[in-house]
Amino acid sequence: MSTVTNAADATKDPREIRRVITSSFIGSTIEFYDFILYATAAAIVFGPVFFSTLDPLLATIASYLTFAAGYIARPIGGIVFGHFGDRIGRKRMLMVSLSVMGVASVLIGLVPPVEVWGAFMLLLLRVVQGIAIGGEWGGATLMALEHSSKSKRGFAASFANAGGPAGAFLGTAALALFALLPEDQFLSWGWRIPFLFSGALLVIGLYIRSRVSESPVFTAALEIAEATKARRPKVPLVQVLRRPGALLTVGLVGMSSFVLQAMFSTFTVGFAVESGFDRSSALWAFAVSQLIAAFTIPAAAALSDRLGRKPVILSGLVLTGVLAFPLFALVATAQAWAVYLAFILALPLCQSLMFGPMAAFLAENFATSSRYTGASLGYQLAALLGAGFTPAIAATIFATGGGDVAGVVWFLIGMCAASLVVLVVFGRESRHAIIDESRSQEQDVAPQTVDA
């Protein structure tokens, strides 16, 4: 047993760790560029292009529902990619997920503006995107987490999350750039260019990922299973569902960070425009906040390596609830400084405190033999509950409230309160959890002690 442990430790070469973290960040950036690009396009493009026969409000809601389809599909991707990631390895699944996402995004840029068939194709490709992103996050997180030392797991794993805002910045900036075109040109062909650019990003991402090694923790687990003839679960999902408390806890704790992300990437952009702010400027406000968040997310995760996952996440939930009304009051002014300040307070500050430690918090709650499945499914459950229907819900609340944003704000506060209660009552501090399969007797029990 010690031989395997030493072998696993020996693979933790600093240069390889940096290479893996870089790969995790860049690959995640590319995937989220594609995924968030769709979210932003759903807010300002897809309604008039694919649902032009509907009332503008109904067209926006219909567009947001195609956006939601991606989140519904994400748990499927988490299950499928997680199963094979736990059985045959993390690296291979990352190559597949990146390829699927890149191809789907290029095809979205080629969808014809035909009322029925165009919308159907858009919906289908969004589902494919959801499946791909569902498998991406778990693999990227675990590669970084399982290569790193115990004292830096939160920081290393957070780069998969930091790739989200980095990708959102690139995607939103690209769309904002083409939004400067005359509206008829932007809606006819300009919005398509950022999607087609995904093809070039795909080639770059595949090259980078081909150069990293498999997770040493996963490799050690395989060696131990072979040496001891231990039975590994044929269906990792079954192992995860035997202790549903862990899955539900991490999903419910994580959902509020996605509520905030989805609300500011879609509804709040539209709300700023409706309040009198320029459309391109609103997109740039979101893009700038995402660029800053790419740095604050790892910073929050590093803080969780010192203070613990729970205190940092808890501070983000509380701060979001406290600042919720002031944030939307700032956006409603339609003043550039106020809108930018609102986006920066919401995402690089509030969301980063919740989202930074989240990668490690999720992964540390599951054993190696089912970690890809458990972490992926927990993350996608959080994404579905927190972001899948948030834009449509927010738009509906806003419309039925006669244009009063208070109902939307209370929705945000309520979701944060729910996550806070679950974290305090059921969440456990996972910073010191054992994730190395070489300590199997402790590891198989410790990571899954959360049970609702």
Side-chain angles (χ1 to χ4, degrees):
M1 197 73 73
S2 61
T3 302
V4 176
T5 304
N6 292 336
D9 290 340
T11 64
K12 295 182 178 180
D13 175 67
R15 290 174 299 178
E16 179 64 10
I17 293 173
R18 287 193 294 270
R19 188 181 297 119
V20 169
I21 290 176
T22 301
S23 168
S24 175
F25 175 74
I26 293 178
S28 183
T29 296
I30 293 170
E31 292 248 11
F32 277 92
Y33 165 88
D34 295 331
F35 199 74
I36 300 297
L37 179 62
Y38 187 105
T40 308
I44 62 173
V45 174
F46 293 154
V49 172
F50 295 102
F51 303 98
S52 59
T53 58
L54 299 177
D55 173 83
L57 176 61
L58 293 178
T60 299
I61 292 174
S63 177
Y64 282 158
L65 289 177
T66 67
F67 166 82
Y71 282 92
I72 295 173
R74 283 170 71 152
I76 299 173
I79 293 171
V80 173
F81 281 89
H83 174 85
F84 291 103
D86 283 325
R87 296 291 298 171
I88 65 176
R90 316 329 193 179
K91 178 179 174 179
R92 290 189 219 177
M93 293 301 100
L94 283 175
M95 301 292 283
V96 174
S97 68
L98 185 62
S99 300
V100 172
M101 174 63 86
V103 171
S105 296
V106 170
L107 291 177
I108 288 174
L110 299 174
V111 172
V114 180
E115 286 294 332
V116 177
W117 286 107
F120 175 77
M121 293 169 66
L122 195 68
L123 178 65
L124 179 63
L125 290 170
R126 180 58 174 176
V127 169
V128 174
Q129 275 195 326
I131 292 173
I133 203 74
E136 157 67 23
W137 180 87
T141 296
L142 297 192
M143 285 289 282
L145 181 92
E146 294 178 346
H147 272 86
S148 68
S149 62
K150 181 179 178 181
S151 62
K152 297 180 179 179
R153 289 197 313 232
F155 178 71
S158 72
F159 279 87
N161 280 357
F169 167 76
L170 293 177
T172 307
L175 204 61
L177 180 64
F178 283 93
L180 295 174
L181 290 168
E183 186 167 358
D184 60 333
Q185 295 182 33
F186 174 65
L187 293 179
S188 64
W189 60 267
W191 67 269
R192 299 178 182 274
I193 306 302
F195 283 95
L196 298 176
F197 183 63
S198 298
L201 295 178
L202 171 62
V203 174
I204 296 171
L206 290 176
Y207 171 74
I208 292 172
R209 285 197 163 161
S210 67
R211 300 179 66 243
V212 301
S213 61
E214 180 58 89
S215 158
V217 172
F218 177 79
T219 302
L222 286 182
E223 292 176 359
I224 291 170
E226 292 175 1
T228 62
K229 301 188 185 305
R231 290 182 59 189
R232 301 180 68 247
K234 292 183 178 179
V235 183
L237 177 62
V238 173
Q239 184 178 358
V240 172
L241 295 180
R242 282 176 181 162
R243 296 180 180 271
L247 182 62
L248 291 174
T249 297
V250 298
L252 291 171
V253 168
M255 68 180 180
S256 290
S257 66
F258 285 101
V259 171
L260 192 58
Q261 169 74 26
M263 191 170 287
F264 271 77
S265 67
T266 56
F267 172 81
T268 309
V269 170
F271 176 64
V273 173
E274 186 168 320
S275 298
F277 201 52
D278 177 68
R279 178 177 61 190
S280 180
S281 297
L283 290 174
W284 276 111
F286 174 70
V288 168
S289 73
Q290 292 299 275
L291 179 62
I292 299 172
F295 296 94
T296 57
I297 284 174
L303 187 63
S304 78
D305 282 329
R306 296 179 63 85
L307 303 180
R309 318 296 184 219
K310 284 183 66 174
V312 178
I313 296 172
L314 186 65
S315 67
L317 291 168
V318 172
L319 196 59
T320 302
V322 171
L323 293 180
F325 273 101
L327 290 175
F328 280 90
L330 287 169
V331 174
T333 67
Q335 298 295 313
W337 70 268
V339 174
Y340 273 81
L341 179 60
F343 275 87
I344 290 170
L345 288 174
L347 299 174
L349 179 60
C350 295
Q351 202 230 3
S352 291
L353 289 170
M354 294 184 278
F355 203 49
M358 192 60 61
F361 178 73
L362 285 164
E364 289 164 348
N365 272 277
F366 300 95
T368 303
S369 56
S370 61
R371 187 170 295 131
Y372 199 140
T373 301
S376 294
L377 196 54
Y379 181 86
Q380 305 315 330
L381 177 62
L384 174 60
L385 294 175
F389 295 97
T390 287
I393 292 173
T396 302
I397 293 174
F398 186 70
T400 56
D404 185 357
V405 79
V408 177
V409 179
W410 280 115
F411 168 72
L412 173 60
I413 293 173
M415 295 295 280
C416 287
S419 292
L420 188 149
V421 170
V422 173
L423 177 63
V424 171
V425 176
F426 300 108
R428 73 182 183 91
E429 180 52 60
S430 63
R431 177 167 54 122
H432 300 297
I434 299 169
I435 69 165
D436 194 337
E437 191 74 15
S438 62
R439 300 176 67 177
S440 58
Q441 295 303 313
E442 297 171 273
Q443 185 265 347
D444 282 341
V445 177
Q448 299 200 51
T449 55
V450 179
D451 211 346

